[in-house]
Amino acid sequence: MKQVLAPLLALLPGAAFALGTADCDMARLDVIPEPWEDYTATFANGDVRVAAIDFMEPVTGPMHLVIVSPPRDELGFRQCRTIMRDEIYGWSWLEFSTLDASYDPAKGLVFTIEGDATADDGFTALPVLVTITLNQSTGEITVGETPR
C-alpha cells in the first residue's frame, strides 16, 4: 500500500521531500549509467566510493547516489547507503561531472553535486545543489539540498 500511495502523495501541492539515505537494497549495478568511469569516483584513499544510479523511472526523480564508505563491519565490509530525496524519488538529473569533495575536520567528508529536482507540481525542474556530509568514523550521512 505504501508503494502505491507514495507516488500519489508526492504529486499533491505542497508535498515535501524528506532528503535522506537508505540501505543499498535498491542499488543495482545495472543502473549505473555508462560509461561507468564517468559516473563513479573514489575518495579518502579509495575507502569511499560514490556512484550515480539512474533507474529511468519515475521520470520525475530517477537519479540517486550510492555511497560505499567506512565504518567497516566485523567482516571488513563497508556500509552502503543510497542517497535519495524521499522513499522512492531521487533527482530528475544529477550532473556527476560537478561532484566535488572537501574535508571539514568538524563535520567529515563533504560532497556537493549539481542537479535538478522536480518541483511539487510534478513538472518543473528546479536547479539544486545537493550537499552530502559523511562522518567516516560513525557512518552518519546527512543530506541537504539548496536552490542554485
Side-chain angles (χ1 to χ4, degrees), residues 54-133:
D54 183 355
F55 288 107
M56 293 199 233
E57 290 291 336
V59 71
T60 57
M63 293 202 70
H64 300 73
L65 292 173
V66 170
I67 296 181
V68 180
S69 70
R72 294 179 183 271
D73 66 15
E74 59 279 352
L75 296 175
F77 291 107
R78 296 171 290 174
Q79 72 172 351
C80 182
R81 304 294 291 171
T82 303
I83 311 301
M84 57 188 62
R85 292 192 78 214
D86 74 4
E87 290 181 7
I88 58 170
Y89 288 99
W91 289 267
S92 53
W93 181 249
L94 291 171
E95 185 58 53
F96 200 79
S97 66
T98 67
L99 179 68
D100 190 31
S102 61
Y103 181 73
D104 179 336
K107 296 179 181 179
L109 199 51
V110 180
F111 300 97
T112 57
I113 187 168
E114 294 178 9
D116 291 329
T118 303
D120 290 344
D121 65 9
F123 301 102
T124 307
L126 304 172
V128 295
L129 181 67
V130 180
T131 303
I132 303 153
T133 304

Side-chain angles (χ1 to χ4, degrees), residues 1-58:
M1 181 76 158
K2 191 177 192 180
Q3 292 173 329
V4 173
L5 290 178
L8 296 175
L9 292 174
L11 295 177
L12 295 175
F17 286 94
L19 299 166
T21 69
D23 287 331
C24 282
D25 298 345
M26 61 185 268
R28 303 177 352 219
L29 293 177
D30 63 332
V31 294
I32 296 174
E34 294 286 349
W36 279 19
E37 57 271 11
D38 290 349
Y39 293 93
T40 64
T42 58
F43 303 90
N45 298 318
D47 267 351
V48 176
R49 177 170 297 278
V50 179
I53 54 176
D54 183 355
F55 288 107
M56 293 199 233
E57 290 291 336

Side-chain angles (χ1 to χ4, degrees), residues 69-71 79 81 134-141:
S69 70
Q79 72 172 351
R81 304 294 291 171
L134 165 65
N135 181 319
Q136 293 180 72
S137 297
T138 65
E140 180 182 4
I141 297 175

